[in-house]
Amino acid sequence: MCVFACLFFFSNSVHSAGSLNDRYTFLPLIDNGEWVYMAEGAEASLMGCSGSCPRNLAIPERVDGIKVTAIGDGAFEGVPLDNVTFTNNLLSIGSYAFKRTELKLVSFPSSLESIGRQAFAENRLRTVTLPTSVKEVRAEAFGYQLDRKLSHLDLGAVRTIWYRAFAGNALTRLILPASLTRVDERAFADNTLSRVTLLGDRPDLSSAFLDN
């Protein structure tokens, strides 16, 4: 059934949740009794569970036969979770999608391209491994894990790391991949870094590591 509300959102957010776009549209919010989602053509953006979510959350490959390619902005924000798994249809995770959910473990699919602002901020993650498909990590995406125990980070082949994306954690060593072209101010601020290895040409790192 279609919930009697429409969500005002960016017209191509199914493809790039959490990004800024020029055109806007209304899409109906659909509740099928298990999941809440929006659909545009042959692709869906998941917006949450119909009722209570299980703490071990498995994102479906399809809803009502429609391929899930995005997690919408704020979809599971504040929902208590232990871990989440994704399928290889997923292209983007929107802003605030899993903020403050108490997540301890997350495994990203090899299809994922973009992680939105504060998407996994203020959780309980200890390790983050990005697949080589991820091109950008937006502002504060993994910032300030609640117990400050995020100590292992594999950046895969990321190209762009936004403001404070990994700030406020317990990183001590870091390898920056050759793919990296941009690192924003304070991207890794407020950690305990003692060693940083750069594999490629050096982007501007002048303020990326403040307060270490």
Side-chain angles (χ1 to χ4, degrees), residues 136 159-163 179-184 203-205:
E136 66 171 356
R159 299 177 188 174
T160 303
I161 299 175
W162 289 46
Y163 176 77
S179 57
L180 198 60
T181 59
R182 169 182 160 188
V183 182
D184 276 4
D204 181 7
L205 300 174

Side-chain angles (χ1 to χ4, degrees), residues 127-205:
T127 181
V128 170
T129 300
L130 301 181
T132 56
S133 57
V134 172
K135 298 179 178 66
E136 66 171 356
V137 179
R138 296 219 165 197
E140 302 171 323
F142 294 93
Y144 300 96
Q145 298 301 300
L146 294 179
D147 50 10
R148 289 182 67 100
K149 290 185 178 179
L150 177 56
S151 58
H152 175 78
L153 174 62
D154 184 340
L155 290 168
V158 70
R159 299 177 188 174
T160 303
I161 299 175
W162 289 46
Y163 176 77
R164 289 190 180 273
F166 297 97
N169 290 303
L171 299 173
T172 58
R173 296 189 176 191
L174 184 64
I175 298 176
L176 301 180
S179 57
L180 198 60
T181 59
R182 169 182 160 188
V183 182
D184 276 4
E185 180 182 359
R186 295 183 176 271
F188 299 98
D190 195 19
N191 279 277
T192 53
L193 284 164
S194 60
R195 181 176 179 179
V196 177
T197 302
L198 183 62
L199 298 183
D201 295 333
R202 180 178 176 179
D204 181 7
L205 300 174

Side-chain angles (χ1 to χ4, degrees), residues 59-78:
I59 300 300
E61 182 176 0
R62 295 175 181 271
V63 287
D64 298 335
I66 306 170
K67 185 166 59 174
V68 175
T69 58
I71 307 297
D73 292 352
F76 299 96
E77 183 178 1

